[in-house]
Amino acid sequence: MAARAALEALLRDRKLDRTLTSTLPERLGDDAVAAIGIDTLDRAVAGRYGPQDYTAGGLPRGQVSEVIGPASSGRTSLAWAALAAATRRGESVALIDTFDRFDPPTADACGIRLSRLLWVRGQAVSKTAVAIDPAWLPGVRAVNGPGTFMERVIDRAIKALNLVVQSRVCTLVVIDLIDVPAHALRRLPASTWFRIERAIEGSDTAVLILSAIPVARSAGGRSIQLGGETQRVMWKGDHERTRRVAGVRSRASIAAARWSHVQCVDVETIVPNAV
Amino acid sequence: MFAALYAPSIPAAALIEVARAFTPRFEQIGSVVLLDASGLSRLFGTAQELGEHLRDALEKQSPGDSLARIAIASTQTAVTLLALGQPGLTVVVPGKEAIALAPLSVNVLDAFEKLSEPSAFAPAHPADLRRDRAPDSQGAGWHHPRTTHQASRGKRRAPENRLLEILTKWGIRTLGALTALSGPEIHERLGERGAYWQSLARGMDARPMVPWVDEVPFEAALELEWPIEGLEPLSFVLARLLEPLSERLERADRGAAVIYTSLRLTSRTVYTRTLQLPAPMRDPKTLRTLILLDLESHPPDAPIDIVRVFIEPTPAKVLQWTLLERAQPAPEQVTTLTARLTALMGAGHVGSPVLVDTWRPGSFTMSDFRSQIADQLKKSDGSIEKQSAHRPSAIDQQSEISDLTSSDCARLRSALRRFRFPIPTRVIVQEGRPVRVQTDRQGFSSGAIVQAAGPWRTSGEWWNTPSPGSNASAPSAALGSSVPSTSARRATADKSVAWDRDEWDVAMTDGTIYRLVVERGVGQWFLEGVID
């Protein structure tokens, strides 16, 4: 018994207690997840076949999850829904916006309480150097390629993510890597994401990676893939003068480690009437 | 043992100086200065001798003053009443306070109450007290802790003293007569205030003494033997300066509101940085980190000779949280995080977005991220609601969405990924509608348009600027130019003025939905965003 206690103390010292033992109790219920706020989706993300019997669904806290998919598949809408739900619960959230793509008026219409959002704006890429913040330019050799402006933007976004998760100020942190080229994402060392996982392990923070291709997911995290063959645009209006985009229908496939089945759910994104 | 000084002809500041010469523990109550005389017998001898020393000191301040009154007794109330009611020096043996007070008129109780009123409670002007103080330190000086606490407990007093009138009608003229009455009956007839007066007449203390504290400027400086360069050595210097300052702030129950960091450089110039803190804080590590991060963004241009830190104090904030809501991050954490992020990403790249009252697409401003404070302000300030008044309420929209989630299909509200610098594109238009999009930018699909919706025409701010070239014809011809023209670039750069444009939502063959915009003034097409 004493030997076991000593071993557990040693593991705790090395911060391995959560990984290798079950010393700390598993959190259950609302406290364990950051709900997205859409029941169907939350139930699917919780998963019926998971090892934990969650009473509530949502993105697991203390884990890195990802949302991936092609353009217009609803990946950003899903991330914004999670942000909106978290801010409605009174939590502080952060968005690491690598290429400054966030649109506050639309986000407000989506229900995100902007006063609770820490928005970290990266640098929008432009071909005209005058449009770029001069602070980002020194040392830049070219817009694309290794050691370039693009790499610098990604590097700063990752550093910002590290700072936010280490501070534990925000309970949901979304990093937007959608417009990052695939080759640049692949060049990121795996230790980048491992460090993030270690930083949030056992905390209330859930990290969500928003990307076009799979990037990283922690052992307890979820991969939500949107789009696929079922993706189609919905239109409203019979006449070409009155026609408008009503939304996009696609399918979300949710996977996690130790799940024997992939959870699938139909997703529709609705374009608001006010343009 | 307590002593009280009362001298109407001597200014309050001079009385305080006298008290300070005898003990650091004293309190000003109106025009009376109360001294804690415990332990002074070793220095000044018996109570009688202490009284004589005090009388000599008062005479030095105002020679030939016969109105100065000094009382020494074992309770504060007794000494204050005796100083108000009895001329000269009065020394009371412990336990005989009630007997000493008995011949005093009941009017002294009224005078005693008047002392606690705010008008009588104004502290002496700091300039009178500390003549050697720098003229710019207006907040410095003596201050009373009760002015910042809930312990400020001056009893509300009727304009004319009804209680005194009743006692006079009853024929109660002296404190002795008042103490002779039965306590319960006094309480029955005169209430709590009557009982309070009777306890005062017996010389009983209703509260402990609250000594004055000396508020000196929260300032520290260090002259270095050798000039230092770089932030790392400065970090150690700042730690040495900030830790004692932080301790002093804690003792005074204060937090730093503004930090002035003044660096005298070897170039004989003084480099000053001002750091406004969003919430009062006094953690030395946080303060040091914030100063260093600020200096990292704005470094001095020469080695440093003298480091001086001045903190503007403010009462520490007490916030009552609830157990039923999620704990909010500490202001120190939030401020440090935003300072670190600002140092990394640049000014204006970190914060919370705030909507502005305009129809201009995508317009917003940035504000500091202060999550918990912002919500409190939102409740009291209707401006935020006003700003978004013209848009549908987010909560209404959310309820609209949740109504739609009864089916198995999850419904979300569409997000728009807006390109901060709209991407110039070539668009082929047939019969007034775009049919093909071509862009050179990597990662964006080009090709035929499957379906298009629009145009949605918006314009604004034209009333504030000269007409931006009013060839307001709708785009009807194919426009091809991969590089934006000068006028188009100007139109993009001039976002702060008028806008006049048509918007199209177009679906591409791969399922991507773009928002296309044509600037009507110049006829240039742009990719403004992706509906995602």
Side-chain angles (χ1 to χ4, degrees):
Chain A
M1 210 53 193
R4 180 178 173 171
L7 180 62
E8 284 183 352
L10 185 64
L11 290 173
R12 214 173 294 120
D13 285 348
R14 298 292 174 96
K15 297 182 178 172
L16 292 170
D17 51 332
R18 291 278 294 179
T19 312
L20 300 179
T21 72
S22 56
T23 308
L24 296 179
E26 191 77 37
R27 288 181 302 180
L28 296 174
D30 292 340
D31 192 35
V33 292
I36 300 167
I38 311 292
D39 288 344
T40 319
L41 208 51
D42 280 333
R43 278 200 301 274
V45 171
R48 283 178 295 162
Y49 306 103
Q52 298 99 351
D53 181 20
Y54 288 128
T55 55
L59 299 169
R61 296 188 190 274
Q63 304 289 345
V64 178
S65 301
E66 60 181 354
V67 176
I68 50 183
S72 299
S73 59
R75 52 201 175 165
T76 310
S77 307
L78 197 152
W80 285 18
L83 289 172
T87 53
R88 276 201 305 277
R89 289 193 299 269
E91 298 175 21
S92 298
V93 298
L95 172 65
I96 316 295
D97 194 6
T98 310
F99 291 113
D100 200 9
R101 298 282 197 253
F102 184 70
D103 185 42
T106 319
D108 180 62
C110 286
I112 298 176
R113 291 185 182 168
L114 299 177
S115 64
R116 291 197 168 273
L117 172 70
L118 173 61
W119 182 21
V120 183
R121 301 169 63 190
Q123 178 60 58
V125 177
S126 168
K127 282 192 171 181
T128 50
V130 288
I132 297 173
D133 188 340
W136 292 67
L137 285 175
V140 170
R141 293 194 291 277
V143 170
N144 284 311
T148 59
F149 176 76
M150 179 73 79
E151 277 202 344
R152 174 172 291 205
V153 172
I154 298 165
D155 181 54
R156 288 196 186 186
I158 299 292
K159 281 181 181 167
L161 175 64
N162 263 307
L163 286 173
V164 173
V165 296
Q166 280 167 9
S167 72
R168 301 201 173 182
V169 164
C170 301
T171 50
L172 176 62
V173 185
V174 176
I175 180 165
D176 184 347
L177 298 172
I178 281 181
D179 294 316
V180 176
H183 59 83
L185 280 177
R186 287 192 199 102
R187 268 205 296 273
L188 288 173
S191 60
T192 304
W193 307 110
F194 185 67
R195 203 164 42 240
I196 301 291
E197 288 170 29
R198 296 292 300 161
I200 61 169
E201 194 175 25
S203 73
D204 279 344
T205 306
V207 171
L208 186 63
I209 300 170
L210 202 51
S211 167
I213 58 165
V215 179
R217 183 193 73 205
S218 62
R222 306 283 186 269
S223 282
I224 306 172
Q225 180 151 20
L226 288 148
E229 291 176 359
T230 56
Q231 181 180 336
R232 62 181 177 85
V233 184
M234 300 181 296
W235 297 88
K236 251 185 187 175
D238 300 330
H239 192 266
E240 65 176 23
R241 289 283 178 195
T242 59
R243 189 186 303 137
R244 66 180 182 84
V245 179
V248 176
R249 175 177 273 269
S250 66
R251 170 160 288 206
S253 310
I254 302 147
R258 291 179 280 178
W259 280 17
S260 54
H261 292 73
V262 173
Q263 296 280 304
C264 290
V265 61
D266 288 332
V267 175
E268 276 184 13
T269 58
I270 311 294
V271 176
N273 291 334
V275 181
Chain B
M1 183 72 77
F2 294 93
L5 307 179
Y6 176 62
S9 58
I10 300 177
L15 272 183
I16 286 172
E17 285 297 329
V18 170
R20 235 175 117 201
F22 282 81
T23 175
R25 285 175 55 80
F26 62 90
E27 179 182 0
Q28 186 192 10
I29 307 173
S31 51
V32 174
V33 175
L34 200 63
L35 286 78
D36 182 0
S38 312
L40 294 184
S41 59
R42 284 190 169 187
L43 291 172
F44 301 101
T46 61
Q48 183 66 35
E49 287 165 346
L50 172 64
E52 284 162 7
H53 276 103
L54 284 168
R55 189 171 55 196
D56 295 344
L58 286 181
E59 273 181 5
K60 276 182 195 166
Q61 293 287 339
S62 172
D65 182 17
S66 58
L67 297 174
R69 296 170 180 188
I70 301 162
I72 298 177
S74 57
T75 66
Q76 308 165 48
T77 310
V79 292
T80 311
L81 292 173
L82 286 167
L84 289 170
Q86 198 151 307
L89 171 64
T90 312
V91 179
V92 180
V93 180
K96 304 288 182 190
E97 287 80 17
I99 297 167
L101 290 171
L104 297 183
S105 162
V106 286
N107 289 329
V108 293
L109 292 175
D110 186 41
F112 183 87
E113 278 203 335
K114 280 180 184 167
L115 289 177
S116 302
E117 287 181 354
S119 57
F121 202 64
H125 195 274
D128 298 334
L129 297 169
R130 297 285 300 267
R131 290 187 177 80
D132 55 343
R133 182 153 302 158
D136 57 345
S137 56
Q138 290 182 359
W142 296 96
H143 82 100
H144 197 287
R146 275 188 287 159
T147 56
T148 60
H149 283 278
Q150 68 277 20
S152 176
R153 81 289 170 263
K155 282 187 179 293
R156 183 172 287 183
R157 187 175 165 276
E160 65 280 352
N161 202 330
R162 177 78 181 140
L163 188 57
L164 186 64
E165 198 179 314
I166 293 169
L167 289 176
T168 312
K169 279 185 184 170
W170 285 359
I172 305 294
R173 303 268 187 268
T174 61
L175 299 187
L178 182 59
T179 52
L181 297 175
S182 161
E185 287 179 9
I186 284 275
H187 194 274
E188 276 176 15
R189 287 170 174 78
L190 300 178
E192 281 192 10
R193 192 153 165 250
Y196 171 66
W197 270 37
Q198 196 179 38
S199 71
L200 289 179
R202 288 176 178 147
M204 293 162 66
D205 285 340
R207 63 167 181 88
M209 180 182 181
V210 185
W212 289 64
V213 290
D214 189 7
E215 188 175 283
V216 292
F218 291 97
E219 187 175 13
L222 194 65
E223 189 167 356
L224 305 165
E225 289 183 17
W226 298 97
I228 55 171
E229 278 185 277
L231 295 180
E232 198 179 339
L234 183 64
S235 158
F236 295 102
V237 177
L238 285 174
R240 194 173 150 189
L241 293 175
L242 286 171
E243 276 172 13
L245 278 178
S246 182
E247 275 179 22
R248 282 182 47 209
L249 283 171
E250 193 169 1
R251 278 204 300 271
D253 192 22
R254 292 288 191 274
V258 187
I259 308 175
Y260 301 94
T261 312
S262 177
L263 307 174
R264 207 186 80 177
L265 309 177
T266 50
S267 56
R268 299 287 171 200
T269 55
V270 177
Y271 182 74
T272 305
R273 294 289 308 163
T274 304
L275 205 58
Q276 298 270 358
L277 302 176
M281 55 185 74
R282 55 179 175 236
D283 177 39
K285 282 183 185 170
T286 308
L287 297 179
R288 185 184 59 174
T289 307
L290 293 176
I291 294 173
L292 286 174
L293 286 169
D294 182 54
L295 287 172
E296 200 174 293
S297 309
H298 308 89
D301 53 6
I304 302 160
D305 259 345
I306 299 175
V307 182
R308 186 182 299 276
V309 177
F310 177 76
I311 289 176
E312 205 169 278
T314 185
K317 186 169 278 187
V318 179
L319 289 176
Q320 179 66 53
W321 300 115
T322 166
L323 290 173
L324 304 176
E325 289 178 7
R326 183 174 291 275
Q328 295 297 327
E332 288 87 352
Q333 273 181 301
V334 175
T335 313
T336 310
L337 173 64
T338 50
R340 284 185 197 282
L341 288 171
T342 306
L344 176 70
M345 309 299 281
H349 284 259
V350 178
S352 291
V354 178
L355 302 183
V356 291
D357 192 10
T358 174
W359 284 102
R360 177 191 293 283
S363 56
F364 66 92
T365 57
M366 291 293 280
S367 70
D368 290 340
F369 174 65
R370 302 172 191 174
S371 56
Q372 69 275 29
I373 301 167
D375 272 12
Q376 287 169 6
L377 291 176
K378 198 170 180 176
K379 286 175 191 166
S380 58
D381 182 12
S383 61
I384 297 176
E385 277 79 6
K386 189 184 166 191
Q387 285 166 4
S388 54
H390 63 277
R391 296 182 181 85
S393 154
I395 293 167
D396 294 346
Q397 291 170 358
Q398 201 58 40
S399 59
E400 179 191 321
I401 289 175
S402 53
D403 289 345
L404 297 170
T405 53
S406 52
S407 66
D408 284 343
C409 180
R411 294 193 175 177
L412 310 166
R413 190 161 286 272
S414 275
L416 175 69
R417 299 175 60 77
R418 187 179 290 277
F419 306 132
R420 210 63 66 197
F421 305 119
I423 300 165
T425 57
R426 286 168 291 179
V427 175
I428 296 174
V429 179
Q430 282 180 358
E431 297 175 357
R433 304 183 73 77
V435 292
R436 189 173 184 83
V437 174
Q438 197 73 35
T439 179
D440 299 335
R441 191 65 63 86
Q442 282 182 351
F444 295 97
S445 54
S446 299
I449 293 171
V450 177
Q451 219 157 13
W456 319 112
R457 180 164 297 175
T458 64
S459 65
E461 294 290 336
W462 44 266
W463 51 87
N464 284 336
T465 51
S467 175
S470 55
N471 51 342
S473 57
S476 57
L479 298 166
S481 153
S482 60
V483 179
S485 64
T486 313
S487 54
R489 235 181 270 156
R490 197 185 308 126
T492 316
D494 261 359
K495 285 189 80 173
S496 60
V497 289
W499 79 93
D500 183 11
R501 61 192 213 152
D502 287 344
E503 290 178 1
W504 291 82
D505 290 338
V506 298
M508 310 297 289
T509 48
D510 61 354
T512 308
I513 306 172
Y514 285 129
R515 177 156 298 169
L516 286 176
V517 166
V518 56
E519 293 287 345
R520 295 182 64 236
V522 291
Q524 172 66 48
W525 287 82
F526 295 95
L527 269 182
E528 194 186 42
V530 178
I531 293 172
D532 190 17

